[in-house]
C-alpha cells in the first residue's frame, strides 16, 4: 500500500491508499474520492496531474494525452498511474468535487499550552478532542478565533505530521482579531476549532540543497520541515536558513535551531531590521542573499512570511536565475 496525497488547486488536500498495482484513479474511487476524468483510457488527458513527490509508472497512454516532455517533469495520468512509492499529486482544479465525507471538516480541539516566546510571538499548542488531521510539513490550517463570532485566521503547523499535539506560532499585533484573543483571553483549556490541512507550500523530496528564507512567524512551517527532516534522518543535503525579524527581541526558537543543526547539515543566519540590542547583521533578509547560496540553481527554495518579504526574496531569486518551479512560497496575507 502506498499513501497518495492529492492537493487541489485551492490548496485543500486528501490522502488515500493505493495498493501495489492498483490504478491511482481507482484507488481514489475506492476511497470514495471522485477525481476529474473522462475516457479512463489514457487518451484524453482530463485526469492529468503533476506528481511532485514519489515514483510511479504510467502505461498504455496516448502521446497526445501526455507527452514525453510532460512525463519528464512529473506529469502523470491518474487513470493509468501506478504508484511505486508514496506520492504527492497536484490537481489543476478545486476541491469542490470532494464528497462531504472528504471535504475538510471543522475539528474540535483544546488549547493545552499558550505562552510568549518572543516580544511579539505566542506559541500555542492544541490537542484535537476527536478525529485527526494529516498534513505535509509546511501546510496550514484554518483556525476559528474563540469568542470572535466565527472569525477565522490561517496558521501553519510547526509540529511534524502524526503528532498528538499541534503547535503554532502566532504573531501578536497591537490590534487584530486573533491578536486580541491571544493578548487578552487565551488560556489553557479554551475550546478552539480547526479545519484543514491546506496549502501548496510543503517540503518536496530531498534531492538538492535547500535554501529557506523565513520572516517572523514564517519560521513556523520551516520548523515543521526541519523537524521532519531530522525524524527522517535526512542529513544528506545542506540546508541554509535565513531568518529575519523587525527587532531582535522577536526572534524565537533560536536554541532549537542550534539543536537542529547538530542533526542536519543546517546553517542559520539571523538578521533584524532594527540595530537596537542586536550585534548581528541589520536589514532585510534580501541583504543576506548571495549567488553561492543557489548552488548554480541546483537547489530548492522555500520562502515564508509577510508578503513584501516573500515578493522581495522571490524577485531576487528570479533575477539570479532560479527556476520558478523550484521556488516554493507561502505569503502570510492578512484577512482584514
Ligand atoms: C496560509 C497562511 C498561513 C499563515 N500562517 C501564519 C502563522 O503560522 N503564524 C502567524 O503569525 N500568522 C500566520 N498567518 C497570518 C494570520 O492568518 C493572520 O493574518 C495574522 O495572525 C493576523 O491576524 P489577526 O486576527 O491578529 O489580525 P487581523 O484582524 O487580521 O488584522 C488586524 C490589523 O492588523 C494588521 N495586520 C495583520 N497582519 C499584519 C501583518 N502581517 N503586517 C502588518 N499588519 C498586519 C491588519 O492590517 C489590521 O490593521 C498566515 C496567513 C496565511 C494566509
Amino acid at each position: 500500500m502506498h499513501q497518495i496525497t492529492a492537493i487541489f488547486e485551492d490548496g485543500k488536500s486528501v490522502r488515500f491508499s493505493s495498493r501495489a498495482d492498483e490504478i491511482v484513479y481507482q484507488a481514489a474511487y475506492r476511497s470514495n474520492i471522485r477525481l476529474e476524468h473522462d475516457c479512463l483510457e489514457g487518451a484524453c488527458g482530463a485526469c492529468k496531474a503533476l506528481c511532485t513527490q514519489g515514483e510511479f509508472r504510467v502505461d498504455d497512454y496516448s502521446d497526445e494525452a501526455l507527452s514525453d516532455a510532460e512525463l519528464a517533469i512529473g506529469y502523470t495520468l491518474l487513470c493509468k498511474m501506478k504508484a511505486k512509492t508514496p506520492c504527492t499529486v497536484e490537481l489543476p482544479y478545486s476541491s469542490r468535487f470532494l464528497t462531504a465525507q472528504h471535504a475538510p471538516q471543522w475539528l474540535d480541539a483544546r488549547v493545552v499550552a499558550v505562552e510568549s516566546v518572543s516580544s511579539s510571538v505566542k506559541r500555542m499548542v492544541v490537542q484535537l478532542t476527536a478525529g485527526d488531521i494529516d498534513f505535509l510539513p509546511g501546510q496550514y490550517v484554518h483556525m476559528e478565533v474563540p469568542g470572535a463570532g466565527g472569525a477565522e485566521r490561517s496558521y501553519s503547523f510547526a509540529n511534524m505530521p502524526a503528532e498528538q499535539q499541534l503547535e503554532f506560532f502566532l504573531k501578536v499585533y497591537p490590534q487584530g482579531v486573533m491578536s486580541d484573543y491571544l493578548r487578552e483571553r487565551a488560556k489553557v483549556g479554551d475550546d478552539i476549532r480547526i479545519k484543514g490541512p491546506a496549502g501548496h507550500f510543503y517540503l518536496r523530496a530531498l534531492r538538492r540543497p535547500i535554501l529557506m528564507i523565513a520572516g517572523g512567524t514564517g519560521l513556523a512551517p520551516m520548523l515543521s520541515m526541519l523537524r521532519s527532516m531530522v525524524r527522517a534522518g535526512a542529513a544528506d543535503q545542506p540546508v541554509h536558513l535565513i531568518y529575519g525579524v523587525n527587532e531582535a527581541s522577536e526572534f524565537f526558537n533560536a536554541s532549537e535551531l542550534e539543536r537542529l543543526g547538530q542533526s542536519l547539515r543546517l546553517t542559520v543566519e539571523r538578521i533584524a531590521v532594527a540595530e537596537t540590542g542586536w550585534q548581528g547583521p541589520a536589514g532585510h533578509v534580501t541583504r543576506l542573499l548571495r549567488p553561492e547560496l543557489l548552488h548554480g540553481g541546483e537547489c530548492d527554495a522555500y520562502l515564508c512570511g509577510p508578503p513584501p518579504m516573500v515578493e522581495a526574496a522571490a524577485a531576487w531569486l528570479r533575477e539570479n536565475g532560479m527556476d520558478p518551479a523550484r521556488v516554493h512560497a507561502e505569503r502570510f496575507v492578512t484577512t482584514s
Side-chain angles (χ1 to χ4, degrees), residues 282-314:
H284 293 284
V285 289
T286 38
R287 203 191 130 196
L288 296 179
L289 288 171
R290 46 208 189 267
E292 63 265 29
L293 296 176
L294 303 185
H295 299 267
E298 280 303 307
C299 79
D300 289 309
Y302 294 89
L303 324 179
C304 184
M309 183 224 86
V310 172
E311 299 310 338

Side-chain angles (χ1 to χ4, degrees), residues 23-35:
I23 296 288
V24 170
Y25 170 83
Q26 282 161 359
Y29 191 86
R30 186 170 50 75
S31 299
N32 212 10
I33 298 167
R34 306 285 178 262
L35 299 175

Side-chain angles (χ1 to χ4, degrees), residues 153-156 169 171 173 177-179 217 332 334 336:
R153 299 287 183 267
S154 305
Y155 294 98
S156 308
F169 290 93
K171 169 123 186 182
Y173 294 97
V177 176
M178 180 59 97
S179 299
T217 46
F332 282 0
T334 54
S336 43

